[in-house]
Amino acid sequence: MKTLVAGDAAPAFTLPNQNGDSISLASFQGKKVLVYFYPKAMTPGCTVQAQGLRDIQQELKQHNVEVLGISPDAVKRLPKFIEKEQLNFTLLSDEDHAVADAFGVWGPKKFMGKEYDGIHRISFLIDENGKVEQVFDKFKTKEHHLVILNYLNA
């Protein structure tokens, strides 16, 4: 697992959103994009992380930042998550984890003594020109949004 670092070009991708529409990273040219990878919709940690980002949308917009949440969830699971948590940003389905692989966030994990491959909870701030500006990989899920805001406000 070789995770992208600041200065790397963000991989081009197109994935289906919660409505089944194709969304490309390239369509956000001229904006910053927070691409955040999360393991599974409607689980406790992922819910807290999404709620935090939902609650700071105004501040993110002031910094010209769009949010794209990416998980290996099927498209049909995403609208339920958005509705239940009143999320105000786009969720994308990466069922074959090709985009997660491209960003270097798919790899070995351990949970309750079991080893398996899955998504590592890492976020990337992509600049207006498609380069990785910042990587966020050390945070608690309930503080993820604060780490992002602190970086943007610094």
Side-chain angles (χ1 to χ4, degrees):
M1 192 173 102
K2 186 181 177 324
T3 306
L4 295 181
V5 296
D8 287 346
F13 66 82
T14 301
L15 289 171
N17 72 0
Q18 64 272 5
N19 305 318
D21 300 326
S22 291
I23 303 293
S24 297
L25 181 60
S27 63
F28 294 95
Q29 192 100 27
K31 288 184 176 268
K32 291 185 181 203
V33 181
L34 178 69
V35 176
Y36 90 96
F37 289 90
Y38 66 99
K40 191 172 185 184
M42 295 183 282
T43 56
C46 296
T47 297
V48 167
Q49 187 177 14
Q51 289 167 338
L53 291 170
R54 172 197 68 199
D55 295 346
I56 64 163
Q57 275 304 297
Q58 281 307 109
E59 291 95 322
L60 291 173
K61 295 268 188 241
Q62 289 167 0
H63 288 282
N64 197 31
V65 176
E66 293 289 330
V67 176
L68 298 176
I70 301 179
S71 74
D73 289 309
V75 170
K76 67 179 187 213
R77 189 174 172 89
L78 303 179
K80 294 174 189 159
F81 191 33
I82 286 178
E83 189 178 326
K84 185 171 188 278
E85 301 307 327
Q86 299 177 327
L87 301 181
N88 48 10
F89 54 86
T90 302
L91 297 180
L92 301 174
S93 171
D94 184 24
E95 282 190 89
D96 64 0
H97 57 82
V99 174
D101 280 330
F103 275 81
V105 300
W106 184 268
K109 295 177 77 166
K110 248 188 185 157
F111 183 67
M112 292 173 59
K114 285 190 174 169
E115 284 196 35
Y116 62 97
D117 280 346
I119 290 241
H120 289 252
R121 199 183 294 275
I122 300 175
S123 299
F124 301 85
L125 185 64
I126 312 298
D127 72 14
E128 296 86 348
N129 302 310
K131 290 247 187 277
V132 176
E133 179 179 320
Q134 184 69 23
V135 178
F136 304 96
D137 59 357
K138 295 187 176 25
F139 56 83
K140 291 182 167 59
T141 53
K142 67 178 186 235
E143 295 166 359
H144 177 244
H145 64 292
L146 299 175
V147 171
I148 306 291
L149 269 187
N150 289 342
Y151 172 80
L152 291 169
N153 289 326

